[in-house]
Every structure is written in C-alpha cells, then in structure tokens.
Amino acid sequence: MSRKHRIESKIQEALQPQYLDVVDESYMHAVPADAESHFKVLVVCDVFADLPLIERHRKINELLGEELQAGLHALTMHTWTPDEWREKGGAPESPPCLGGSSLE
C-alpha cells in the first residue's frame, strides 16, 4: 500500500472528515522518484471546531506518527472546519521547492 493510501486510511478512520485530500508533492522536490516524502493534506472535519490550529496539527501528527518515523519528511496541513473550508474556497497552492538537496 502506498504512503498516500496509508495516510488517507488513518485520517479517514480516526476523524471521518467531510472532505479529505491527500496530495503527494514529492515530485516538486529534489528527491528520488517515488520517494513519497512530501505530502499536503486538506482535512475538513467538525472535530476541529473547538480546537486551536496547533491542536489540530498535533492530532494529525499523532495519527501519522508511524509515517513520520518511516521517512515522511514534510507534511503541509490544512485542518479546517466545514465553515472555514467554505470561506477559504479550497487549499492554497504549494510554493515551489527552493532546493537544498544533497542530490544536486
């Protein structure tokens, strides 16, 4: 099973979000092909309603702890309530990689 599918499964099972989008952005970085090292997640969930941003991120980090220990290098998180999602109109585009790889 790919890392993307594992991330989707763990978040879906634990939070049952109204909307979930997991994007493998590894191709945007100086990493080997199929690295599965850089991801962006958009999680829209009622559970976040009474949580500050840091607690929302901690919840996702806790769910994905095994992935973070096993090579997940970067995780961009958009953790919104349904109302916030409607207000924002979707996840912002990720900026381009600025380099910094030892592969260069």
Side-chain angles (χ1 to χ4, degrees):
M1 178 184 296
S2 71
R3 177 167 281 150
K4 178 182 183 207
H5 287 110
R6 289 192 306 268
I7 291 170
E8 289 170 338
S9 293
K10 289 174 183 181
I11 294 173
Q12 190 68 42
E13 183 178 314
L15 301 177
Q16 299 178 351
Q18 284 87 343
Y19 182 80
L20 173 63
D21 188 27
V22 178
V23 180
D24 182 350
E25 296 186 329
S26 301
Y27 72 93
M28 297 169 59
H29 302 274
V31 297
D34 300 321
E36 293 187 309
S37 58
H38 295 70
F39 282 83
K40 174 172 66 175
V41 297
L42 168 57
V43 185
V44 178
C45 188
D46 287 325
V47 172
F48 297 144
D50 296 323
L51 295 177
L53 184 61
I54 188 71
E55 291 302 323
R56 297 173 186 192
H57 286 197
R58 284 180 179 149
K59 187 174 282 296
I60 299 298
N61 280 328
E62 182 180 308
L63 290 173
L64 302 181
E66 289 178 10
E67 297 299 331
L68 291 162
Q69 292 293 320
L72 176 55
H73 173 72
L75 182 62
T76 301
M77 291 181 260
H78 302 287
T79 52
W80 299 338
T81 65
D83 287 341
E84 291 168 335
W85 186 39
R86 281 187 287 280
E87 289 170 16
K88 294 175 189 289
E93 292 294 317
S94 296
C97 178
L98 298 177
S101 170
S102 60
L103 298 175
E104 297 170 350

